[in-house]
Amino acid sequence: LRAAATWLLARADARAGRTALAASEYAALAAATDPIPGIPPERRADVGDEAGFLSAWLCLDGGAPRRAARLLEAFARDHPRSPRALDAAWFAAWARLGAGDREGASRALARLVPGPLSPGALYWRARLDPTPEGRRALLRRAAAAGGDGWYGLLARARLASLGEAAPGPGDRAGGRDPGGEALPADAVERLSGPLELLALGQRADARRELLELERGWPGRGAAEGIARLASYAREPDVAYRVARDRLGVTRWTLRWSYPDGIPAGARQAAGATGSDLDLLRAVIRRESAFRPDARSSAGAAGLMQLLPATATRLAMLTGAEPAASPGDPATDVAAGALYLGLLLDRFAEPAVACAAFNAGPAAAERWATARAGLPLDAWVEAIPFKETRHYVEEVLAAWQAYRRLAGLPPVLAPDRPIPGPLTGVAF
């Protein structure tokens, strides 16, 4: 049972912040060959791989960046086929930056430019480049490689601060206007069924037929027809999913890629909470992809994916019915907007509030306290949970896209310092 006990202790110590102890326990687990009761042999290999990565990564999280850089580079070199090899290489570069080794960090990032981490590697290389010309050139490349994502957003913001405009969401892609020409005859015929159901007021049946068409009707013309009708029928999740999976983001599909998504019955209540409605739309887009019936394995429900415990506590505060009741998207969004507003009141910075929405206020408080004063881009990069880091990046990038579509100015400044947390909501 020694390997199983070591695994459980390492997980508990890491969660409790005992990083040095957890790192040594993970290192022992990575070197062990004993089976773990209840874990199949194929999963045991992955446990060892994960333990090897975490034993190195926890040194970075625990404030030993030089040691972390050495260990992470060794892991990436010795485990090239590991699913964590790229993460190890990325954090090795970040560890070198944390240790003050700017040249070593730049070299490590340069090795990542040809791969899937190219946008981030280019952006941070630009941040490290000592020459104005080099920074501009790398920022242009990061903006092009990052597209409408987080690093593209950051690169465009920095270029704008230098007086240089860069293409925004959808500007890079051309594409024809799918609403500007007639649909093919077969598309008209297939879409006539859900259209007639909508005319008869049978929205649930019309939605069901649209979903069946989406699953079984290939072709770009078909996808455009489905997205167009779904948008008309106020089924934003269908239009968004079709645009995301089959059409991509162009200047013509932006409204399908970034739909409103806030039920009419929830808009006034959401606005009354003080939450930015564009930020709220970005959260819904990431949480549920606008599916009102979305459910997670943890029990989160609805458009905002509130956990039952969170919904219950919000209901106790407001005296309302539990917010995540099935089939009530308006109530769900109103409660989610209230929760987001409470998080914004406590943390002041939207990036920290989004991190709290995903990982909980306790974790966000630790990060905001320990890294108060860091600029926004570095603070987000330092979020230790990969899922939460990507969550924050996606929500903030979508928030910017929504603002741009509404003709509003950008509100994200990469150099803005992150404030420390205030008192407030803790659930």
Side-chain angles (χ1 to χ4, degrees):
L1 298 176
R2 182 177 286 110
T6 302
W7 188 27
L8 293 173
L9 286 170
R11 290 166 64 89
D13 288 331
R15 288 173 178 169
R18 297 185 287 269
T19 53
L21 181 57
S24 66
E25 289 164 342
Y26 273 124
L29 181 63
T33 58
D34 298 333
I36 298 177
I39 300 295
E42 60 274 14
R43 171 69 177 127
R44 175 64 179 89
D46 185 66
V47 168
D49 184 85
E50 178 186 57
F53 169 76
L54 289 174
S55 66
W57 179 85
L58 282 167
C59 294
L60 173 60
D61 193 45
R66 292 187 183 278
R67 175 173 170 78
R70 292 195 301 272
L71 293 175
L72 288 163
E73 287 170 352
F75 181 90
R77 181 184 62 248
D78 298 338
H79 303 81
R81 296 185 179 180
S82 166
R84 300 169 182 87
L86 270 179
D87 280 346
W90 175 265
F91 282 115
W94 189 248
R96 289 199 173 277
L97 181 59
D101 182 7
R102 295 172 66 89
E103 291 185 4
S106 185
R107 288 194 301 270
L109 290 167
R111 292 193 290 269
L112 297 173
V113 168
L117 302 182
S118 177
L122 287 166
Y123 175 78
W124 283 104
R125 281 196 70 206
R127 294 275 272 113
L128 294 171
D129 196 288
T131 67
E133 298 80 7
R135 282 196 297 274
R136 284 177 181 270
L138 286 166
L139 285 172
R140 292 187 200 105
R141 292 175 62 191
D148 306 323
W150 173 243
Y151 294 109
L153 168 68
L154 292 177
R156 287 194 296 274
R158 289 199 174 274
L159 285 170
S161 70
L162 298 173
E164 182 174 331
D171 290 347
R172 298 168 298 101
R176 56 189 176 79
D177 178 2
E181 53 186 72
L183 291 173
D186 68 320
V188 173
E189 181 179 356
R190 291 188 182 219
L191 290 169
S192 61
L195 188 58
E196 289 175 6
L197 289 169
L198 283 171
L200 293 170
Q202 299 177 18
R203 296 186 56 84
D205 291 334
R207 174 183 170 82
R208 192 176 303 111
E209 286 206 12
L210 275 173
L211 290 172
E212 289 177 0
L213 287 173
E214 179 211 355
R215 286 191 292 266
W217 186 20
R220 185 178 181 86
E224 290 174 356
I226 294 170
R228 209 192 300 182
L229 183 54
S231 180
Y232 167 76
R234 298 190 300 278
E235 299 288 352
D237 61 313
V238 180
Y240 166 62
R241 193 160 56 248
V242 169
R244 179 193 64 192
D245 297 342
R246 302 198 188 188
L247 299 175
V249 177
T250 73
R251 62 177 178 267
W252 302 120
T253 65
L254 274 175
R255 278 301 175 193
W256 300 335
S257 300
Y258 298 95
D260 182 345
I262 298 178
R267 193 166 287 114
Q268 183 177 356
T273 66
S275 295
D276 183 305
L277 294 186
D278 286 323
L279 178 60
L280 186 64
R281 292 181 181 97
V283 171
I284 295 172
R285 186 178 187 267
R286 177 60 178 80
E287 286 287 350
S288 64
F290 307 102
R291 284 185 54 199
D293 59 345
R295 297 288 185 276
S296 78
S297 58
L303 290 171
M304 298 292 294
Q305 290 291 280
L306 291 176
L307 290 167
T310 304
T312 300
R313 292 192 180 190
L314 285 170
M316 291 172 62
L317 283 177
T318 62
E321 293 296 322
S325 53
D328 190 6
T331 305
D332 169 53
V333 170
L338 171 61
Y339 185 52
L340 184 61
L342 292 172
L343 293 173
L344 286 166
D345 286 343
R346 180 176 185 187
F347 295 107
E349 167 60 50
V352 187
C354 290
F357 199 97
N358 178 261
E365 180 187 23
R366 291 196 303 272
W367 304 332
T369 301
R371 302 180 180 94
L374 273 184
L376 172 66
D377 56 1
W379 192 90
V380 172
E381 205 70 61
I383 294 174
F385 298 168
K386 180 178 179 180
E387 177 189 345
T388 301
R389 186 170 63 256
H390 290 174
Y391 177 94
V392 173
E393 292 171 354
E394 290 179 25
V395 170
L396 295 185
W399 181 31
Q400 176 63 30
Y402 274 112
R403 289 185 61 84
R404 190 171 182 276
L405 284 170
L408 299 173
V411 291
L412 296 180
D415 281 329
R416 183 171 64 238
I418 297 296
L422 304 173
T423 57
V425 63
F427 61 84

